[in-house]
Amino acid sequence: MMTVWTILSIVDWVLFILVGFSVIYIVAFSIASTKKKAFTYPSTNILRSFLIIIPAYAEDKVIVETASRMQDLTYPKDLFKVVVISDHHTDETNEQLNQLPVQNIIATYDNSSKAKALKLAIKEQTREYDHVVILDADNMVEPNFLEQLNVICENGYEAIQCHRIASPTRQTAVSRLDAISEEINNSIFRKGHINVGLSSALIGSGMCFNYQWFKKNVVHLSTAGEDKELEQRLLQQRIHVHYAEDLYVYDEKVKKSGNFQQQRRRWIAAQFYALSVMMSQISSALKPINWDYLDKTCQQAILPRLINIFLLVVLSFIVTVISPAHGIKWIVMTLCFFTAMYIAVPQYYKNRQTVKALFEIPKLIILTILNMFHLKGAAKKFIHTEHGE
């Protein structure tokens, strides 16, 4: 019969292996992201056409400015079109949008979603384009954005994730942590992957796709994690996702912990749903081996970062108190995890303001844990994160 000590030892090692999987994955790609691998794109005289889609749900505070700024693009006007899917906006907002040189499509869904908006945008087009660009209602780009994107597209990439970065606006502690979190993801799940020859992760906006591919596949989107669905379809079809590290899309970060909780709830639910779908179809990735698909399946299985932090700190403390000898491995793994996080954070965020913002992490961890108990149906249900606050 096993003793209590033996049972505790088994539980300790099971937890260590489960948490360790996430840590090893993060450490490996954090190290890979340090490699300086500059992409050079040969210039081209060919100019392709672009359809820019901006889904907007109750974004009265930001959508008019975003649509107006699209007119600053220096790309030939006859080679791009801006489409706004206006969902649950006021009459005043729609009137302002109608006065701009954009196609303003008014949606009146009872159960709104970004997937529905994207499908509607494509359905309403009367001409074909070469590429489609997806932006959020609060995204901004430089005037020469399409010129740069056109050059990258001409190098044969069918799917591109641009570098989404925080807008240079006033930051709260929460928005700074949100911005840092996104840059960590850019390092690990995008740059680190590209550096070892794997596909970049998508992030929901700042994305560009071959128009014909998107038109064919967008009709299959059905959840609130449309970027996860797009990833799954791309990788299943063995289409590489490129990361354009030097092409920026500026994104407004959430400034309040309540919005942070809503956003993370949607992301966690979408991640778990994507994992279940990808696992159910993993056999198709084995013959021949589809490394991108297998890697993405593993990526969906890793723990949310704040949950990882909580488990590492708490378990390191508990195990070390019970048995210092068993606690050593937990302390080493915790140090490896935080070292990987430090490596993945851009140098310009390593300052005093960030240190102050770190005191918000315990509160955000609690909110993330609470989210874990409210995931039912969240992958299918649209959860709005308000911007412009």
Side-chain angles (χ1 to χ4, degrees), residues 138-139 167 169-170 250-255 387-389:
D138 61 329
N139 288 166
S167 299
T169 57
R170 182 184 66 83
Y250 300 97
D251 181 63
E252 191 72 28
K253 312 315 294 179
V254 294
K255 292 183 170 61
H387 297 105
E389 296 187 349

Side-chain angles (χ1 to χ4, degrees), residues 30 56 59 76 92 191 196 224 265 288 314 326 330 334 354-355 361:
S30 178
E59 298 283 8
E92 180 183 358
K191 184 177 180 181
V196 297
R265 180 187 171 200
V314 171
H326 285 75
W330 281 100
T334 301
T354 295
V355 174
I361 288 182

Side-chain angles (χ1 to χ4, degrees), residues 233-250:
R233 300 191 71 83
L234 283 163
L235 302 185
Q236 194 172 45
Q237 297 170 39
R238 300 176 186 267
I239 297 174
H240 180 77
V241 181
H242 181 62
Y243 176 49
E245 183 183 4
D246 297 323
L247 185 54
Y248 296 116
V249 171
Y250 300 97

